[in-house]
Amino acid sequence: MGKLYNIAFKGEVAEGFSVGDVRANFSERFSKPDDVIDQLFSGTAITLARNLQWEQANTAASNLQSLGALVYVLDEQGKVVEIPERRTANDSVGTDSGSAENPGTSTPDQNDNTNPYDLTATAKVRHLTRISDKRVIEAAPETDVRKTRLRYRFDTFMAKGGGSIFLAVTAVFVATFILIGVFTGAFMAQDLYSSAAYKVLAVLAGIAGIVMLSALIAFITTALNQRIVGLKRSRSKVIEDGHTLILGWNEQRIIETLRQLVIANEKEKDACVVVLADKDKQDMDDVLSLRLNDTAKSRIVTRSGDVTTLTDLDMVSLGSCGSVIILASCDDTDSAERKAASDAKAIQTVLATMGNENESDDFGVVVEIFNATHREIVRSSFPDHVITVNTSDILANLMVQASRSIGLSVVYNEILSFDGCQMYFCDAEWGDSTFGEIAYRFPDGVPMGIRNADGTIFMNPSSDQAMAPTDEVLILAEHDSTIEFMDEPVAAPAGHSLSGIRQERRVERELMIGWTVKSPAIIRKFADYIIDGSQIQVLLKSPTDQQVAEISAMNEALDSVEVGLIQKDCLSIEDLLSVKPFEYDNIIILAGTDSGETGVDAARVDAENIVALLLLHRIFSQYPTESGNTKLITEILHSQNDALVARAGTHDVIFS
């Protein structure tokens, strides 16, 4: 008996054949179930027949190759034997741990020697080994490819939006309606003569039509609701020119800012203010409608987006706006971490804003930044267009100056707000006039200073300072439309002599109720006005360790002024009486908390300040003589509480 050979198959196909074709040929030729065919094309070596004579092995291999299969004839040592007309072959095929005489691991069928095409033995085969050489990737059947392509096209069509869904539902509804007409004779009426099967089919067709019509109605309703929600969350481009753009959201700041802008735009025909913030548009509109009752002639447009993104800035027409206001994202009472994050966001917004070309030469940006170093960096980087402000420093100066002169807060409110007179820059043909002469040539307006061509501003210059042709006058007027420079004086000055009596400076006692981030600045400003030996007392109910340390540090830093801490409750009349408030020259009530908490509740703070004012007013009424020279200065957060504070008996009010 000669050598015996085995036939192995690894699921590979010959050139010119696809895996799908060979699978179909195997299934048709050998009539095997799909699980057997799948095992043959699993990619691992499987023995199809074993212990064949050379002629049998050669014939069987040739027949299998004619089906498109790439098979291997192995000798008793597991080596590949060349077969005539074979297209390709590997040097060897991995086998399992069996011996060379039995390269396969499957048990051969008894009929293997007589019928090499019998694949019943494949039900018992095991994988010989994992191969690492290049394999032919099985292609999906043509029917699967068509299904995948159709599914992809359908998904793409439906992903286009509501219009595609509407067309799809409408098409199904029309098709169902046609089927109803076909099966029911184009109408549904009483049917006494049709068969039961026909009636059942007609009823099912009618139900299908009702279901599809309901789906169509539901889709239309949902689409309309989504459209309405989309309109409320409008992302359309703002088509405005010369509008005021507010970037960022701080509820307290933005309400007061919008109130002033509404007043400023009262004489404008069609003024617009656009707000862009990283906040839901509907939420912004709800807050504005609740807290901003009357917008007069101003239109307020809100958009939701990222204030540092050029795309969103273009959405609100940054290039055509007249001015930009960048709000801080937190209050000055918040933690240092939140204020640092607010400064970082504000600087990013400035960079994004200045990186966009603006059509106006007078384009200006006002940004609120807490850190002094950050303010200087931004100011020096964009000196011509960006103005940085810190409300804490400004308010500290205003409160101290208001305490030095009763009624000064009214003057500041008139000048700094748009309710009344405002400050404008005016240029005209000055001729040979001096600053003192032009002061009487404005029917409505009071010159306050001069701005040179290089941007330098001189407040209250000398009356004999000559006006240059390029100079602009800083003037206080009711409106810019009422400013008119006359050729001749509209009034003649009258001479008045001063009394020559000057008030002598004396040792003072100041009482500051509450503690905020402005407190150190207020104390330092007071120290500049009062003489040596004066006292500044801070009244707190429950001071924190940090507040105690800050007060102690201020006392050590100011040699000429004594800074002390009084631990009392300003909402208790007994505690207030114990400190004898009528013996102080000035009492400043700050809008802050004793505990140093962040995120101050403005309504609660204003309410507590009003209660403290009422208690102090009651004490002063009991000691009218002693309290005759005591001045009350109050800081409030909501401007609508102005009337309440005035009734409480304060001398000056500062809005924070």
Side-chain angles (χ1 to χ4, degrees), residues 189-195 199:
Q190 186 175 7
D191 191 350
L192 302 176
Y193 306 104
S194 300
S195 64
K199 293 179 180 179

Side-chain angles (χ1 to χ4, degrees), residues 348-371:
Q348 284 182 305
T349 307
V350 170
L351 294 175
T353 302
M354 298 309 299
N356 193 306
E357 295 184 0
N358 192 277
E359 301 173 358
S360 175
D361 295 334
D362 296 331
F363 172 73
V365 178
V366 179
V367 55
E368 182 180 6
I369 298 178
F370 296 104
N371 186 277

Side-chain angles (χ1 to χ4, degrees), residues 383-404:
D384 297 331
H385 295 284
V386 179
I387 299 175
T388 60
V389 296
N390 180 20
T391 56
S392 297
D393 292 344
I394 297 174
L395 290 173
N397 291 334
L398 292 180
M399 296 190 74
V400 174
Q401 292 178 16
S403 70
R404 313 305 298 172

